[in-house]
């Protein structure tokens, strides 16, 4: 009897051990079979991490990225935030079509990483429940983003819907030289050879162009495509504010439409006069960017329009005259008007949304990823990959673009070289936060060397354009209802197309400004200009305040001192 009892006790113990072993084995697996991982802390204790979350991103990477699946920043994101990303890839040109088709079909991923959503799109898809509010996750897991909402101009207005929820996050790029892209570049070597000074008024500018023409130069040129090559915007701002986008002027919160004003008419007359006298190259209103490039290579052009000279001019030994190209300050018109077109009025919509297919764990991981990106080093790493190949932390004593201590040394030339391929970073893909701190944290170099192109552009902008914008401009994001959006979009498209067509005809003289002005204005009224202005005023909210974008003499002095 005792032998039988001992035997059953032994069997019972073995059965319990088997159950315990199985229980331990099961504890190390998730329901879908994905093993969890543990991380040993510095004190030697093991800390269990959450299971890896499989998740799909719809994304449109830039052409320089070799493969997002093996990309260095992808690997960092997956390891740091416990994600395994399945990439659904499209192109930037096809993104809007694809995101809309997927959302309409019901076959869409958990994340649209760098989509293109207008505020009206966000209102539509949030109403349908397809994109979800992120407020609770931001409150708990993304303090850097919360702080940025209060500090970054335009971010809150583009991110927070009228119901108070955050359904999408924009791509945010604080970029002084991008905010004033309508620039004129003039060859100061030619000015010096002819004994001319940098022009400051419309009259002086015309005299300079006349001197260039008389000495065999192409006085002023541009193009119809490319990087802000149309000379019209720069010149019109000596008569009335022109952003070549909305055409709105905002004064004390009230909208007006610049292209129907007497000041606009005066600006057209001035530009037409330059064109008629051959002081604006007639090709400026017909040629394309590649044609402008060929024209510049002949070294007969004295002035041209673009956001940055190095966007089209070769540098270094290939073009020793590159250093002589400097920006023309905004011209003062006959009535004392002197504006610079301003494009820093905040993001226009969202790039990153989370859909209703995301799990709780995925939303938490995504909020933590967003919070990381909303640090200077997070966005630096997203853009250029891990420290070492394209960037490193700045050395002691290096100054940034604001003259203060720098954060990063970035090899922009190598990363953005024409045709270059890289698999380090995501290159501004998604909800980046290229903040003022990040931008000013880039180490500055002498503006006179090819490696100093970022410094040169920033310096030229600070010296000549910053502070020349109006105090108020129309905001980038307007939350117009889904019901009104189709009508509003059609009004905007038709009116802007009409303005641009008539403007070109007035400038080249195929229509008389004096004889056809009333006809032109009547045409705008027939297109619904009054209704367009009423809706624009209604949905504007508050105007965009440009006061944070002020001149910085100390930064100018610090950058000019670099050798």
């Amino acid at each position: 009897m005792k032998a039988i009892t001992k035997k059953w006790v032994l069997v019972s113990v073995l059965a319990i051990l088997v159950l315990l072993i199985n229980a331990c084995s099961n504890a190390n697996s998730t329901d879908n079979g994905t093993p969890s991982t543990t991380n040993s802390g510095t004190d030697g204790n093991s800390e269990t991490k959450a299971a890896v979350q499989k998740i799909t991103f719809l994304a449109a990477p830039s052409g320089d990225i070799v493969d997002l699946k093996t990309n260095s920043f992808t690997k960092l994101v997956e390891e740091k935030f416990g994600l395994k990303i399945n990439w659904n890839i499209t192109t930037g040109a096809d993104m809007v079509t694809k995101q809309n088709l997927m959302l309409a079909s019901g076959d869409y991923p958990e994340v649209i990483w760098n989509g293109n959503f207008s505020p009206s799109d966000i209102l539509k898809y949030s109403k349908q429940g397809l994109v979800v509010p992120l407020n609770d996750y931001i409150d708990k897991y993304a303090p850097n983003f919360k702080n940025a909402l209060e500090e970054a101009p335009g971010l809150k207005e583009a991110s927070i819907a009228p119901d108070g929820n955050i359904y999408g996050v924009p791509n945010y790029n604080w970029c002084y030289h991008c905010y004033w892209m309508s620039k004129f570049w003039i060859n100061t070597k030619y000015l010096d050879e002819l004994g001319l000074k940098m022009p400051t008024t419309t009259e002086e500018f015309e005299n300079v162009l006349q001197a260039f023409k008389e000495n065999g130069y192409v006085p002023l040129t541009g193009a119809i495509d490319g990087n802000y090559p149309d000379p019209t915007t720069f010149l019109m701002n000596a008569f009335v504010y022109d952003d070549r986008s909305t055409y709105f002027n905002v004064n004390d919160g009230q909208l007006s439409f610049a292209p129907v004003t007497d000041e606009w008419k005066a600006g057209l007359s001035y530009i037409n006069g330059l064109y008629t006298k051959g002081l604006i190259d007639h090709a400026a209103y017909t040629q394309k960017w590649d044609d402008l490039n060929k024209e510049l290579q002949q070294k007969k052009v004295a002035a041209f329009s673009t956001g940055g000279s190095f966007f089209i001019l070769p540098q270094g030994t290939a073009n020793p005259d590159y250093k002589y190209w400097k920006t023309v300050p905004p011209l003062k018109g006959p009535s004392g008007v002197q504006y610079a077109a301003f494009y820093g009025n905040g993001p226009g919509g969202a790039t990153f949304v989370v859909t209703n297919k995301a799990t709780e764990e995925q939303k938490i991981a995504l909020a933590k990823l967003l919070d990381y990106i909303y640090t200077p080093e997070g966005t630096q790493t997203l853009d250029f990959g891990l420290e070492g190949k394209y960037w490193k932390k700045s050395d002691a004593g290096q100054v940034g673009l604001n003259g203060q201590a720098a954060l990063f040394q970035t090899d922009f030339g190598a990363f953005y070289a024409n045709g270059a391929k890289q698999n380090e970073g995501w290159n501004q893909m998604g909800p980046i936060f290229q903040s003022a701190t990040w931008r000013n944290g880039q180490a500055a170099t002498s503006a006179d060397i090819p490696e100093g192109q970022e410094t040169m552009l920033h310096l030229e902008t600070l010296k000549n354009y910053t502070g020349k914008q109006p105090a108020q401009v129309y905001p980038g994001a307007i939350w117009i209802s889904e019901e009104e959006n189709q009508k509003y979009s059609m009004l905007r498209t038709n009116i802007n197309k009409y303005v641009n067509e008539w403007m070109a005809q007035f400038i080249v003289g195929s229509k008389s400004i004096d004889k056809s002005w009333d006809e032109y204005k009547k045409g705008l009224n027939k297109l619904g200009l009054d209704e367009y202005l009423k809706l624009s005023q209604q949905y504007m909210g508050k105007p965009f305040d440009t006061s944070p974008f002020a001149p910085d003499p100390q930064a100018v002095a610090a950058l000019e001192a670099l050798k």
Side-chain angles (χ1 to χ4, degrees), residues 153-154 179 243 245-246 342-348 473-477 544 546 549:
Y179 291 168
D243 65 2
S245 170
T246 67
F342 180 72
Y343 305 107
N345 55 336
V473 296
Y474 202 73
F544 185 89
T546 71
F549 304 93

PDB file of all heavy atoms in Angstrom, residues 153-154 179 243 245-246 342-348 473-477 544 546 549:
ATOM      1  N   PRO A 153       4.656  78.613 -34.289  1.00  0.00           N
ATOM      2  CA  PRO A 153       3.603  79.379 -34.977  1.00  0.00           C
ATOM      3  C   PRO A 153       2.875  78.558 -36.031  1.00  0.00           C
ATOM      4  O   PRO A 153       3.493  77.965 -36.911  1.00  0.00           O
ATOM      5  CB  PRO A 153       4.371  80.538 -35.620  1.00  0.00           C
ATOM      6  CG  PRO A 153       5.601  80.699 -34.777  1.00  0.00           C
ATOM      7  CD  PRO A 153       5.960  79.306 -34.347  1.00  0.00           C
ATOM      8  N   GLY A 154       1.544  78.516 -35.917  1.00  0.00           N
ATOM      9  CA  GLY A 154       0.723  77.836 -36.909  1.00  0.00           C
ATOM     10  C   GLY A 154       0.473  76.369 -36.652  1.00  0.00           C
ATOM     11  O   GLY A 154      -0.425  75.779 -37.260  1.00  0.00           O
ATOM     12  N   TYR A 179      10.541  80.700 -46.152  1.00  0.00           N
ATOM     13  CA  TYR A 179       9.419  81.596 -45.871  1.00  0.00           C
ATOM     14  C   TYR A 179       9.433  82.852 -46.739  1.00  0.00           C
ATOM     15  O   TYR A 179       8.409  83.519 -46.876  1.00  0.00           O
ATOM     16  CB  TYR A 179       9.440  82.010 -44.402  1.00  0.00           C
ATOM     17  CG  TYR A 179       9.115  80.886 -43.427  1.00  0.00           C
ATOM     18  CD1 TYR A 179       9.329  81.035 -42.067  1.00  0.00           C
ATOM     19  CD2 TYR A 179       8.583  79.678 -43.873  1.00  0.00           C
ATOM     20  CE1 TYR A 179       9.022  80.027 -41.179  1.00  0.00           C
ATOM     21  CE2 TYR A 179       8.282  78.660 -42.990  1.00  0.00           C
ATOM     22  CZ  TYR A 179       8.502  78.848 -41.632  1.00  0.00           C
ATOM     23  OH  TYR A 179       8.194  77.838 -40.752  1.00  0.00           O
ATOM     24  N   ASP A 243       1.152  87.574 -52.282  1.00  0.00           N
ATOM     25  CA  ASP A 243       1.762  86.301 -51.887  1.00  0.00           C
ATOM     26  C   ASP A 243       1.710  85.265 -53.008  1.00  0.00           C
ATOM     27  O   ASP A 243       2.145  84.137 -52.841  1.00  0.00           O
ATOM     28  CB  ASP A 243       1.093  85.738 -50.632  1.00  0.00           C
ATOM     29  CG  ASP A 243      -0.369  85.353 -50.854  1.00  0.00           C
ATOM     30  OD1 ASP A 243      -0.870  85.484 -51.983  1.00  0.00           O
ATOM     31  OD2 ASP A 243      -1.012  84.924 -49.872  1.00  0.00           O
ATOM     32  N   SER A 245      -0.460  83.442 -54.001  1.00  0.00           N
ATOM     33  CA  SER A 245      -1.107  82.223 -53.560  1.00  0.00           C
ATOM     34  C   SER A 245      -2.577  82.487 -53.285  1.00  0.00           C
ATOM     35  O   SER A 245      -3.446  82.092 -54.056  1.00  0.00           O
ATOM     36  CB  SER A 245      -0.403  81.690 -52.317  1.00  0.00           C
ATOM     37  OG  SER A 245      -1.103  80.654 -51.716  1.00  0.00           O
ATOM     38  N   THR A 246      -2.858  83.199 -52.199  1.00  0.00           N
ATOM     39  CA  THR A 246      -4.245  83.557 -51.898  1.00  0.00           C
ATOM     40  C   THR A 246      -4.625  84.900 -52.505  1.00  0.00           C
ATOM     41  O   THR A 246      -5.797  85.153 -52.765  1.00  0.00           O
ATOM     42  CB  THR A 246      -4.461  83.658 -50.385  1.00  0.00           C
ATOM     43  OG1 THR A 246      -3.714  84.769 -49.868  1.00  0.00           O
ATOM     44  CG2 THR A 246      -4.020  82.386 -49.684  1.00  0.00           C
ATOM     45  N   PHE A 342       5.508  86.466 -48.076  1.00  0.00           N
ATOM     46  CA  PHE A 342       5.779  85.622 -46.907  1.00  0.00           C
ATOM     47  C   PHE A 342       5.022  84.309 -47.034  1.00  0.00           C
ATOM     48  O   PHE A 342       3.811  84.297 -47.237  1.00  0.00           O
ATOM     49  CB  PHE A 342       5.342  86.359 -45.638  1.00  0.00           C
ATOM     50  CG  PHE A 342       5.574  85.596 -44.363  1.00  0.00           C
ATOM     51  CD1 PHE A 342       6.862  85.411 -43.872  1.00  0.00           C
ATOM     52  CD2 PHE A 342       4.509  85.074 -43.650  1.00  0.00           C
ATOM     53  CE1 PHE A 342       7.075  84.713 -42.699  1.00  0.00           C
ATOM     54  CE2 PHE A 342       4.707  84.376 -42.469  1.00  0.00           C
ATOM     55  CZ  PHE A 342       5.997  84.197 -41.994  1.00  0.00           C
ATOM     56  N   TYR A 343       5.756  83.186 -46.915  1.00  0.00           N
ATOM     57  CA  TYR A 343       5.153  81.869 -47.068  1.00  0.00           C
ATOM     58  C   TYR A 343       5.259  81.036 -45.792  1.00  0.00           C
ATOM     59  O   TYR A 343       5.128  79.812 -45.833  1.00  0.00           O
ATOM     60  CB  TYR A 343       5.817  81.124 -48.227  1.00  0.00           C
ATOM     61  CG  TYR A 343       5.790  81.907 -49.529  1.00  0.00           C
ATOM     62  CD1 TYR A 343       6.936  82.495 -50.049  1.00  0.00           C
ATOM     63  CD2 TYR A 343       4.592  82.072 -50.224  1.00  0.00           C
ATOM     64  CE1 TYR A 343       6.906  83.224 -51.221  1.00  0.00           C
ATOM     65  CE2 TYR A 343       4.544  82.796 -51.402  1.00  0.00           C
ATOM     66  CZ  TYR A 343       5.707  83.370 -51.900  1.00  0.00           C
ATOM     67  OH  TYR A 343       5.668  84.104 -53.070  1.00  0.00           O
ATOM     68  N   GLY A 344       5.442  81.679 -44.664  1.00  0.00           N
ATOM     69  CA  GLY A 344       5.594  80.962 -43.391  1.00  0.00           C
ATOM     70  C   GLY A 344       4.341  80.979 -42.546  1.00  0.00           C
ATOM     71  O   GLY A 344       4.432  80.982 -41.310  1.00  0.00           O
ATOM     72  N   ASN A 345       3.174  80.992 -43.202  1.00  0.00           N
ATOM     73  CA  ASN A 345       1.909  81.157 -42.485  1.00  0.00           C
ATOM     74  C   ASN A 345       1.339  79.867 -41.922  1.00  0.00           C
ATOM     75  O   ASN A 345       0.132  79.711 -41.767  1.00  0.00           O
ATOM     76  CB  ASN A 345       0.871  81.818 -43.394  1.00  0.00           C
ATOM     77  CG  ASN A 345       0.661  81.068 -44.699  1.00  0.00           C
ATOM     78  OD1 ASN A 345       1.537  80.340 -45.157  1.00  0.00           O
ATOM     79  ND2 ASN A 345      -0.487  81.260 -45.316  1.00  0.00           N
ATOM     80  N   GLY A 346       2.213  78.931 -41.592  1.00  0.00           N
ATOM     81  CA  GLY A 346       1.807  77.701 -40.927  1.00  0.00           C
ATOM     82  C   GLY A 346       1.464  76.589 -41.895  1.00  0.00           C
ATOM     83  O   GLY A 346       1.196  76.825 -43.070  1.00  0.00           O
ATOM     84  N   PRO A 347       1.468  75.344 -41.409  1.00  0.00           N
ATOM     85  CA  PRO A 347       1.115  74.212 -42.266  1.00  0.00           C
ATOM     86  C   PRO A 347      -0.315  74.330 -42.773  1.00  0.00           C
ATOM     87  O   PRO A 347      -1.171  74.926 -42.119  1.00  0.00           O
ATOM     88  CB  PRO A 347       1.263  72.995 -41.329  1.00  0.00           C
ATOM     89  CG  PRO A 347       2.083  73.476 -40.175  1.00  0.00           C
ATOM     90  CD  PRO A 347       1.791  74.933 -40.037  1.00  0.00           C
ATOM     91  N   GLY A 348      -0.573  73.730 -43.930  1.00  0.00           N
ATOM     92  CA  GLY A 348      -1.892  73.810 -44.530  1.00  0.00           C
ATOM     93  C   GLY A 348      -2.778  72.618 -44.257  1.00  0.00           C
ATOM     94  O   GLY A 348      -3.957  72.611 -44.610  1.00  0.00           O
ATOM     95  N   VAL A 473      -1.186  87.927 -42.058  1.00  0.00           N
ATOM     96  CA  VAL A 473      -1.411  87.294 -43.357  1.00  0.00           C
ATOM     97  C   VAL A 473      -2.464  86.209 -43.175  1.00  0.00           C
ATOM     98  O   VAL A 473      -2.824  85.838 -42.054  1.00  0.00           O
ATOM     99  CB  VAL A 473      -0.122  86.684 -43.954  1.00  0.00           C
ATOM    100  CG1 VAL A 473       0.905  87.764 -44.249  1.00  0.00           C
ATOM    101  CG2 VAL A 473       0.459  85.615 -43.032  1.00  0.00           C
ATOM    102  N   TYR A 474      -2.948  85.697 -44.292  1.00  0.00           N
ATOM    103  CA  TYR A 474      -3.965  84.653 -44.238  1.00  0.00           C
ATOM    104  C   TYR A 474      -3.325  83.353 -43.760  1.00  0.00           C
ATOM    105  O   TYR A 474      -2.236  82.990 -44.193  1.00  0.00           O
ATOM    106  CB  TYR A 474      -4.589  84.458 -45.622  1.00  0.00           C
ATOM    107  CG  TYR A 474      -5.952  83.813 -45.583  1.00  0.00           C
ATOM    108  CD1 TYR A 474      -7.056  84.527 -45.143  1.00  0.00           C
ATOM    109  CD2 TYR A 474      -6.126  82.490 -45.987  1.00  0.00           C
ATOM    110  CE1 TYR A 474      -8.323  83.937 -45.104  1.00  0.00           C
ATOM    111  CE2 TYR A 474      -7.380  81.895 -45.949  1.00  0.00           C
ATOM    112  CZ  TYR A 474      -8.474  82.625 -45.508  1.00  0.00           C
ATOM    113  OH  TYR A 474      -9.711  82.036 -45.464  1.00  0.00           O
ATOM    114  N   PRO A 475      -3.978  82.620 -42.840  1.00  0.00           N
ATOM    115  CA  PRO A 475      -3.367  81.400 -42.289  1.00  0.00           C
ATOM    116  C   PRO A 475      -3.287  80.272 -43.307  1.00  0.00           C
ATOM    117  O   PRO A 475      -4.059  80.208 -44.268  1.00  0.00           O
ATOM    118  CB  PRO A 475      -4.310  81.030 -41.136  1.00  0.00           C
ATOM    119  CG  PRO A 475      -5.619  81.654 -41.488  1.00  0.00           C
ATOM    120  CD  PRO A 475      -5.288  82.914 -42.239  1.00  0.00           C
ATOM    121  N   GLY A 476      -2.351  79.362 -43.076  1.00  0.00           N
ATOM    122  CA  GLY A 476      -2.172  78.235 -43.985  1.00  0.00           C
ATOM    123  C   GLY A 476      -3.305  77.230 -43.916  1.00  0.00           C
ATOM    124  O   GLY A 476      -3.665  76.621 -44.916  1.00  0.00           O
ATOM    125  N   ALA A 477      -3.857  77.012 -42.715  1.00  0.00           N
ATOM    126  CA  ALA A 477      -4.920  76.028 -42.528  1.00  0.00           C
ATOM    127  C   ALA A 477      -6.235  76.723 -42.215  1.00  0.00           C
ATOM    128  O   ALA A 477      -6.305  77.540 -41.296  1.00  0.00           O
ATOM    129  CB  ALA A 477      -4.556  75.067 -41.394  1.00  0.00           C
ATOM    130  N   PHE A 544      -2.998  85.021 -39.284  1.00  0.00           N
ATOM    131  CA  PHE A 544      -1.687  84.539 -38.855  1.00  0.00           C
ATOM    132  C   PHE A 544      -0.827  85.743 -38.483  1.00  0.00           C
ATOM    133  O   PHE A 544      -0.614  86.652 -39.288  1.00  0.00           O
ATOM    134  CB  PHE A 544      -1.025  83.734 -39.973  1.00  0.00           C
ATOM    135  CG  PHE A 544       0.277  83.103 -39.572  1.00  0.00           C
ATOM    136  CD1 PHE A 544       0.297  81.840 -39.002  1.00  0.00           C
ATOM    137  CD2 PHE A 544       1.483  83.768 -39.752  1.00  0.00           C
ATOM    138  CE1 PHE A 544       1.496  81.247 -38.631  1.00  0.00           C
ATOM    139  CE2 PHE A 544       2.680  83.198 -39.380  1.00  0.00           C
ATOM    140  CZ  PHE A 544       2.687  81.925 -38.814  1.00  0.00           C
ATOM    141  N   THR A 546       2.556  87.501 -37.896  1.00  0.00           N
ATOM    142  CA  THR A 546       3.934  87.304 -38.380  1.00  0.00           C
ATOM    143  C   THR A 546       4.986  87.938 -37.470  1.00  0.00           C
ATOM    144  O   THR A 546       6.172  87.908 -37.797  1.00  0.00           O
ATOM    145  CB  THR A 546       4.105  87.889 -39.797  1.00  0.00           C
ATOM    146  OG1 THR A 546       4.063  89.312 -39.732  1.00  0.00           O
ATOM    147  CG2 THR A 546       3.019  87.385 -40.737  1.00  0.00           C
ATOM    148  N   PHE A 549       8.509  86.549 -36.581  1.00  0.00           N
ATOM    149  CA  PHE A 549       9.522  86.477 -37.636  1.00  0.00           C
ATOM    150  C   PHE A 549      10.124  87.869 -37.824  1.00  0.00           C
ATOM    151  O   PHE A 549       9.812  88.592 -38.769  1.00  0.00           O
ATOM    152  CB  PHE A 549       8.894  85.945 -38.920  1.00  0.00           C
ATOM    153  CG  PHE A 549       8.222  84.622 -38.718  1.00  0.00           C
ATOM    154  CD1 PHE A 549       6.867  84.550 -38.423  1.00  0.00           C
ATOM    155  CD2 PHE A 549       8.948  83.447 -38.780  1.00  0.00           C
ATOM    156  CE1 PHE A 549       6.246  83.341 -38.212  1.00  0.00           C
ATOM    157  CE2 PHE A 549       8.334  82.218 -38.572  1.00  0.00           C
ATOM    158  CZ  PHE A 549       6.982  82.162 -38.285  1.00  0.00           C
TER     159      PHE A 549
END
